[in-house]
Amino acid sequence: VETGMQLDAAAIAVDTVFDEIAASLERGQRVELRGFGSFGLKERQSREGRNPKTGESVTVPGKTVMFFKAGKELRERVDSK
């Protein structure tokens, strides 16, 4: 798609958007891009796991993980192919 925008200006715009998404997630906020999807955070509880080498039981600590959920318009575009 031709936008008429200079390549370096487009790169700055994209980098700025990604930086703002990352900053919002660092603050614990959910980010929604209408028609595309949303980024958010979920807390995982600590759990018991196994060391695959020794079979020893170990505690896996809880952590915060990022997730992406595709929006309806994006899902429909992908599914129509």
Side-chain angles (χ1 to χ4, degrees):
V1 175
E2 192 66 35
T3 63
M5 191 177 214
Q6 293 291 331
L7 187 58
D8 56 342
I12 290 170
V14 170
D15 286 345
T16 301
V17 169
F18 286 159
D19 288 343
E20 286 302 314
I21 290 171
S24 293
L25 290 170
E26 286 174 354
R27 291 189 300 270
Q29 297 172 325
R30 181 175 173 269
V31 177
E32 180 180 344
L33 302 172
R34 297 268 177 187
F36 183 72
S38 61
F39 298 89
L41 301 172
K42 289 184 181 179
E43 293 293 325
R44 282 203 174 160
Q45 301 290 326
S46 62
R47 61 186 171 82
E48 288 299 312
R50 295 233 174 251
N51 179 332
K53 198 171 193 176
T54 65
E56 179 184 350
S57 182
V58 295
T59 300
V60 179
K63 63 181 177 178
T64 302
V65 294
M66 187 188 79
F67 71 90
F68 173 76
K69 181 177 179 186
K72 181 180 176 187
E73 291 177 34
L74 179 60
R75 282 194 314 269
E76 289 173 352
R77 285 182 68 174
V78 170
D79 288 344
S80 69
K81 298 243 176 205

